[in-house]
Amino acid sequence: MRPRVLRLTAALGLLVLGGCGWLSDDRGLFVDRRDDYLEAEEGSVVLVPEDLNDESLGDPFPIPPTPEQSDAEFYPFKPPLPDAIYGDDKRESVRIQSLGDRRWLVIPEPPATVWPKVKQFLTDNGVSISAEVPRIGRLDSQWLALDGDGYRDIVRTVLKEAREDDLTVSPLWEERLLIRVEQGIQDRTSEVHLRHQRAPAGLAPAPEDIGALGSASVDAEKEMLAELGAFVAARVAEQTVSMVGQSISTQPKSVMERAPGGVPALRLNLDFDRAWATVGQALSNAEIPVDEADEDNALYAVTVTESTFTGEKQGFFGRMFSFGSDDQALQLRLQPATGADRAYWVQVTDGEGAAIDRELAQQLLVLVREFAG
């Protein structure tokens, strides 16, 4: 019996020495399919004759479409890592953002659902719309005379209070609101910009771009945005989707691109002041330490660690047995994007301005995009 035991023991030993690969490779007892997607091929589409109903062939678990990987040539030896998804509590809230005297609403909904809510806000307050251009998300209210006391709506109340605070305004002047709904910086978000305008009765100025108009009252705009934001946050007409609103230009304000030479770049379709403030706010929201903010040279110097991307801090034993710091000094620099008047690229280099690993650069830029307001 002893020789049999020895032979059995030897066989088991060889099995163990063979490693776990025999148990978990593509030919063993337990097949490891984790990397099968690298060799997957798309099958042909099932064609249903025209005289038959194809509704029953709907996919119960559809895979969302993914953008074409246009920069695959920059990863010749392995597929690029997918962009990380970061959570941000502010994403689900309606809030007012400001930059100097500029203010706008950020709404966690696409323009197609925000557009009808803005129109409903005006309608509920008895304010007619004199012009609308859905292609650019533009709404102009009617000119309002505030010389009576027979109204109780929010819009006229806010405008009247602002007029009473300005002794230079004639009571015969009329007022209106110019509103623009735009795509937000993050996906499936919208921005609502608002201008308050005054003019002598019967002498309304010619239409102008909302961004070029001065503000008749910054305080009135701030209060009106707060009222509009409260209206949207109350989820009034939550399920309404405007077919007209879907035609609003959906050019995103932030896009991951490749700058010349294949360097990852975050494109911000914003003017410099707002692009600079957006990057700074994103770094703050992501709790990334900023060592230097040099606006004259459009440069942020930051320090990142592995926990910057994972959200996990090093434990007690990790700190005790660490043989070096994983802190890494990096720079984020803004520079004008090629072929655009109001757009900037954000690129990442090391602390001396030299190129770094492309995947690390992309990780940091994606994090900035996800935490941007």
Side-chain angles (χ1 to χ4, degrees):
M1 297 295 292
R2 186 175 298 277
R4 290 183 182 178
V5 173
L6 291 175
R7 285 197 297 269
L8 178 59
T9 302
L12 291 174
L14 290 174
L15 179 61
V16 172
L17 290 175
C20 297
W22 184 85
L23 296 173
S24 60
D25 66 7
D26 290 343
R27 297 174 302 279
L29 183 61
F30 302 103
V31 178
D32 184 357
R33 300 188 181 278
R34 288 177 296 179
D35 59 353
D36 286 4
Y37 74 96
L38 296 174
E39 301 177 0
E41 297 181 1
E42 184 175 359
S44 58
V45 178
V46 177
L47 299 178
V48 179
E50 295 182 358
D51 59 332
L52 297 180
N53 186 353
D54 63 352
E55 292 183 359
S56 60
L57 295 178
D59 188 351
F61 303 104
I63 299 175
T66 56
E68 180 181 355
Q69 186 61 257
S70 59
D71 54 4
E73 64 271 20
F74 300 111
Y75 298 91
F77 304 112
K78 63 177 180 177
L81 293 174
D83 289 345
I85 299 176
Y86 298 95
D88 185 358
D89 294 339
K90 296 182 180 179
R91 269 191 169 189
E92 300 303 320
S93 61
V94 178
R95 61 191 187 278
I96 295 179
Q97 296 281 77
S98 63
L99 179 62
D101 289 338
R102 299 157 60 183
R103 291 179 175 81
W104 60 92
L105 274 179
V106 178
I107 301 174
E109 299 179 22
T113 63
V114 172
W115 175 267
K117 293 180 182 181
V118 174
K119 295 182 66 174
Q120 189 65 46
F121 172 77
L122 295 175
T123 299
D124 288 358
N125 284 280
V127 179
S128 299
I129 297 173
S130 63
E132 58 180 286
V133 187
R135 181 180 58 82
I136 60 174
R138 173 76 175 266
L139 286 170
D140 295 356
S141 80
Q142 68 180 112
W143 285 96
L144 303 172
L146 306 179
D147 53 355
D149 296 325
Y151 49 81
R152 297 180 180 273
D153 63 274
I154 293 174
V155 172
R156 290 177 177 83
T157 298
V158 171
L159 296 180
K160 185 177 181 181
E161 290 176 353
R163 174 183 288 190
E164 291 173 348
D165 293 336
D166 189 346
L167 301 179
T168 66
V169 179
S170 168
L172 300 179
W173 283 25
E174 296 180 334
E175 313 192 17
R176 70 173 179 178
L177 300 176
L178 306 179
I179 302 174
R180 186 160 179 168
V181 179
E182 300 178 352
Q183 175 73 36
I185 291 180
Q186 297 172 339
D187 186 35
R188 296 185 63 79
T189 64
S190 301
E191 294 179 1
V192 178
H193 300 258
L194 183 147
R195 288 289 181 272
H196 169 220
Q197 187 176 28
R198 291 191 183 113
L203 298 177
E208 299 178 68
D209 179 76
I210 187 173
L213 291 173
S215 300
S217 172
V218 173
D219 291 338
E221 292 176 358
K222 180 180 179 181
E223 184 64 25
M224 197 68 67
L225 284 174
E227 295 291 348
L228 177 56
F231 180 88
V232 174
R235 304 301 184 186
V236 177
E238 183 175 14
Q239 301 302 320
T240 302
V241 177
S242 170
M243 298 301 293
V244 175
Q246 289 181 338
S247 65
I248 294 175
S249 175
T250 56
Q251 181 191 33
K253 287 186 169 65
S254 63
V255 185
M256 287 300 306
E257 291 186 340
R258 291 278 164 179
V263 178
L266 174 62
R267 180 190 181 99
L268 296 177
N269 294 311
L270 305 167
D271 59 77
F272 177 79
D273 288 342
R274 189 170 171 199
W276 172 258
T278 295
V279 175
Q281 181 187 45
L283 295 173
S284 175
N285 292 341
E287 299 182 357
I288 298 178
V290 176
D291 304 317
E292 180 183 4
D294 185 353
E295 186 172 357
D296 292 336
N297 292 309
L299 181 147
Y300 284 99
V302 301
T303 299
V304 301
T305 65
E306 183 178 353
S307 64
T308 300
F309 306 104
T310 64
E312 299 176 355
K313 296 184 178 180
Q314 194 176 35
F316 172 76
F317 288 104
R319 293 192 302 269
M320 179 180 293
F321 295 104
S322 175
F323 294 97
S325 173
D326 62 346
D327 292 0
Q328 189 163 359
L330 300 176
Q331 295 181 356
L332 291 91
R333 187 182 298 273
L334 280 71
Q335 63 180 23
T338 303
D341 294 333
R342 296 201 334 160
Y344 287 84
W345 274 327
V346 184
Q347 296 177 248
V348 184
T349 62
D350 67 10
E352 303 299 325
I356 64 170
D357 176 76
R358 285 172 174 160
E359 286 192 353
L360 173 59
Q362 178 124 346
Q363 276 186 296
L364 182 56
L365 292 175
V366 168
L367 187 145
V368 169
R369 181 192 65 188
E370 293 299 305
F371 279 93

